[in-house]
């Protein structure tokens, strides 16, 4: 997958682009530090969450929509973070107006807005985050982090390797978009990757034990590799993160998956729902329910067959 960059989209009522005017350029320059500060906060939060790992299962989402002091509106919107045991979602929206020079007139009134959306679901292994602003006076940020605790049971004669992928799909509009994804496997390794609409993307940080992790891909499209589980019982925490800032659409989803498990290897999750809605191998508890269901169906069919035979 290639990160796509689209052209600027105008949503100003006058149709005049003030982005080329000196006063608009000055405003954009003044608020560059604010935007960078927002991204820095997202980066620090995502890395701290991912590398800390978790002994629990939860999904937390955040969203904020703000605008600069030179615009007018009802005020910034930053609802509290939302946390759920399996899934969570959050959103923020704000409308604002401002004055700017335009063709042949002293000034015109311009209208803009900022939107932020975030969601995550342990059962699907998917994270989504979208941030959009109509102009440089708005700032939007969205983030999602997911934590899960797994217990592997390897009934094998030797340690086994578990394949995984963490695919990221997103696009940018204009030059203000930024995004960061992260993955941490408790006690094994952690990685964060930053993407910019203007290019220059690359790893923010990475660490792993080569004896425990084999990476085959780590770039703007996500990660792929395998990790080692010992024979017998073992525990592993997984932390996934996705954060976006200003005109970054990563609602196409970031998706985590396991490959086919080796023979003799199974796992259970703290939530009981991890990757159960992906078509992957069900957890043992899910298998037990399937077996009971098949047994019940069989018990209904057998009397009918006996009745038919007697006739």
């Amino acid at each position: 997958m290639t990160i796509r960059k689209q052209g600027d989209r105008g949503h100003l009522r006058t149709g005049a682009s003030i982005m080329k005017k000196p006063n608009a350029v000055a405003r954009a320059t003044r608020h560059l530090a604010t935007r960078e500060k927002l991204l820095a906060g997202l980066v620090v939060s995502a890395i701290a969450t991912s590398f800390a790992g978790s002994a629990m299962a939860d999904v937390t989402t955040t969203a904020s929509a703000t605008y600069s002091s030179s615009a007018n509106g009802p005020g910034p919107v930053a609802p509290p973070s939302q946390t759920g045991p399996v899934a969570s979602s959050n959103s923020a929206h704000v409308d604002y107006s401002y004055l700017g020079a335009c063709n042949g007139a002293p000034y015109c009134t311009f209208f803009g807005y900022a939107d932020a959306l975030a969601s995550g679901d342990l059962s699907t292994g998917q994270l989504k985050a979208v941030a959009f602003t109509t102009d440089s006076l708005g700032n939007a940020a969205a983030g999602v982090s997911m934590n899960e605790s797994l217990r592997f049971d390897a009934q094998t004669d030797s340690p086994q390797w578990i394949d995984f992928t963490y695919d990221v799909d997103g696009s940018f509009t204009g030059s203000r978009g930024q995004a960061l994804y992260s993955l941490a496997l408790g006690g094994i390794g952690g990685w964060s990757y930053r993407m910019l609409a203007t290019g220059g993307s690359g790893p923010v940080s990475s660490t792993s034990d080569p004896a425990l992790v084999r990476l085959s891909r780590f770039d703007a499209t996500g990660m792929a590799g395998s990790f080692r589980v010992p024979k017998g019982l073992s525990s592993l925490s997984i932390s996934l993160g996705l954060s976006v800032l200003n005109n970054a659409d990563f609602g196409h989803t970031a998706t985590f998956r396991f490959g086919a498990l080796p023979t003799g290897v199974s796992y259970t999750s703290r939530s009981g729902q991890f990757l159960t809605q992906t078509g992957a191998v069900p957890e043992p508890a899910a298998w037990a329910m399937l077996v009971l269901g098949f047994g019940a169906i069989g018990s209904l069919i057998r009397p009918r067959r006996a009745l038919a035979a007697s006739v």
Side-chain angles (χ1 to χ4, degrees), residues 7 14-15 23 54 73 79 83 120 129-130 135 147 231 254-255 259 266 287 290 310:
T14 63
N23 60 336
S54 173
T83 300
V130 179
D135 52 70
N147 301 298
K231 63 179 182 179
T255 306
S266 62
W287 275 119
L290 287 174
S310 64

Side-chain angles (χ1 to χ4, degrees), residues 146-225:
M146 305 201 309
N147 301 298
E148 182 62 280
S149 299
L150 304 178
R151 188 170 179 81
F152 283 90
D153 184 3
Q155 298 298 314
T156 58
D157 296 330
S158 60
Q160 300 294 308
W161 289 89
I162 310 299
D163 294 331
F164 71 89
T165 58
Y166 184 25
D167 294 320
V168 179
D169 185 10
S171 63
F172 297 109
T173 301
S175 60
R176 302 177 69 225
Q178 303 187 34
L180 177 88
Y181 77 81
S182 60
L183 166 65
L185 305 175
I188 294 180
W191 308 266
S192 294
Y193 198 98
R194 180 182 179 184
M195 290 158 278
L196 306 177
T198 54
S201 59
V204 175
S205 57
S206 60
T207 177
S208 64
D209 183 342
L212 299 177
V213 177
R214 300 168 177 168
L215 285 184
S216 58
R217 173 168 57 94
F218 178 36
D219 54 30
T221 68
M223 298 179 57

